[in-house]
Amino acid sequence: MIQQLFGDYLVKTGKLSESQLQTVFECQKKVRVKLGLIAVAEKLMTPQQSDELNRLQAVVDKRFGDLAIEKGYLTEAQVSKLLSLQGNAYLTFIQAITDNGFLKLDEIEASLADFQKENAFTAGDMEAIKADDIDKTIALFLPSDVEPLQVELMQTAIRTFIRLIDSDIFVEKAFWKSTFSMGSYAIQHLRGERPASLLFAGQADSLLTIAEPFAGEEFETVDMDALDAVGEFTNCVNGMFCAKNSAKCELDMLPPSFRDGDYIAKANRMCILPIHVGQSVVYMITAFDETIVI
């Protein structure tokens, strides 16, 4: 996520153009390949084993390498080797910028310092972001008074988003609202000791950024079939969250619901997290110890 966050900052500050940033991303893709593809290329796993783990990630909230070790397909040493071959996201991003002659290293370092200052990130925060630690990075973009389980729900959602929808996303600072105007949406409520809601919303066709990769098909518009796919993705996220936290509190998942149009979400306190996916913005909206009313 560091390359998307910092890349967006470089464009906004005029250090890179949008086309230059896309060139950098394309260069990165030649270096940063999915772990499963590298494992197959290195003859450490079969294509069938890689596909099996990719499917498993739709129901288990774990990294590819961790699942491969659990299944006995790879050793910890082999996973470490594959990660080194995959390349550090921040370093490959910087390398791609300098290789293309867009910025010099000292210019990048100066911009990174400005990025850190503008966001009030500590040195430790920056290390977490540059190391692509998703959980710590997401926490930095949430209000300080978010309920811990609510933080965990959002972290689960972003991890799942990166695995199943698009690895090249970035987020903006989240904020509290009691009402929020939105377009099409898919929502699922959790009922039990700590009632909660998870909702994905967007304007125009932005929810297709979730529907198409999750369903594995193209939709002409955000119709009921597309929204059903978004609802199933929401169900996938909540399923992993509830399974992981079953010892902390009992929660039952109600069936997802979805609608197309213009609506207003209401709750005493909703945490709104904007997620940039390609050229679109999707809003992840959560409430805890209450449910969202549409």
Side-chain angles (χ1 to χ4, degrees), residues 42-285:
E42 291 291 308
K43 309 296 185 184
L44 296 176
M45 288 176 60
T46 66
Q48 292 75 23
Q49 290 171 332
S50 177
D51 290 342
E52 175 195 349
L53 297 188
N54 286 331
R55 290 193 300 271
L56 191 57
Q57 283 190 300
V59 294
V60 180
D61 185 21
K62 292 184 178 180
R63 295 176 297 183
F64 185 95
D66 294 334
L67 289 173
I69 292 171
E70 287 183 9
K71 287 283 187 178
Y73 297 155
L74 297 174
T75 65
E76 290 187 11
Q78 288 172 325
V79 169
S80 295
K81 176 189 175 183
L82 294 176
L83 287 171
S84 67
L85 292 174
Q86 186 182 41
N88 176 278
Y90 172 69
L91 295 179
T92 58
F93 179 65
I94 300 305
Q95 186 69 50
I97 293 175
T98 56
D99 284 351
N100 282 280
F102 296 147
L103 291 171
K104 295 179 180 178
L105 191 56
D106 58 345
E107 294 174 312
I108 297 172
E109 290 297 322
S111 291
L112 188 66
D114 291 339
F115 171 76
Q116 178 179 352
K117 183 177 180 181
E118 183 173 307
N119 289 281
F121 291 145
T122 66
D125 294 339
M126 291 302 297
E127 287 304 311
I129 293 173
K130 289 162 68 174
D132 234 9
D133 188 320
I134 298 303
D135 284 356
K136 289 182 179 179
T137 299
I138 294 306
L140 295 174
F141 286 84
L142 301 180
S144 60
D145 56 344
V146 180
E147 154 70 36
L149 273 177
Q150 192 170 359
V151 172
E152 192 167 337
L153 175 58
M154 288 186 279
Q155 290 170 331
T156 301
I158 294 298
R159 289 195 302 269
T160 309
F161 214 110
I162 290 172
R163 285 198 306 269
L164 304 182
I165 305 301
D166 192 330
S167 60
D168 295 328
I169 64 169
F170 69 94
V171 300
E172 293 181 44
K173 291 280 187 178
F175 51 92
W176 291 112
K177 294 281 284 187
S178 58
T179 62
F180 187 72
S181 298
M182 59 189 186
S184 305
Y185 72 87
I187 188 172
Q188 185 172 40
H189 302 297
L190 304 180
R191 179 179 59 189
E193 297 177 39
R194 306 289 303 278
S197 297
L198 172 63
L199 183 155
F200 289 98
Q203 299 292 341
D205 291 339
S206 61
L207 285 185
L208 292 182
T209 59
I210 296 177
E212 292 183 341
F214 190 74
E217 61 179 286
E218 293 185 5
F219 299 98
E220 292 185 5
T221 61
V222 181
D223 56 19
M224 289 300 103
D225 289 335
L227 288 174
D228 181 57
V230 181
E232 286 304 312
F233 172 72
T234 308
N235 185 69
C236 174
V237 171
N238 281 329
M240 287 188 267
F241 171 76
C242 289
K244 187 175 181 180
N245 291 281
S246 59
K248 297 179 183 178
C249 61
E250 292 186 10
L251 289 170
D252 293 321
M253 298 188 300
L254 299 182
S257 60
F258 43 85
R259 295 178 75 178
D260 179 27
D262 294 303
Y263 300 94
I264 296 178
K266 299 179 180 179
N268 290 325
R269 274 164 60 89
M270 298 182 294
C271 188
I272 319 291
L273 181 68
I275 306 171
H276 288 257
V277 194
Q279 302 302 312
S280 300
V281 179
V282 171
Y283 295 93
M284 179 167 66
I285 307 173

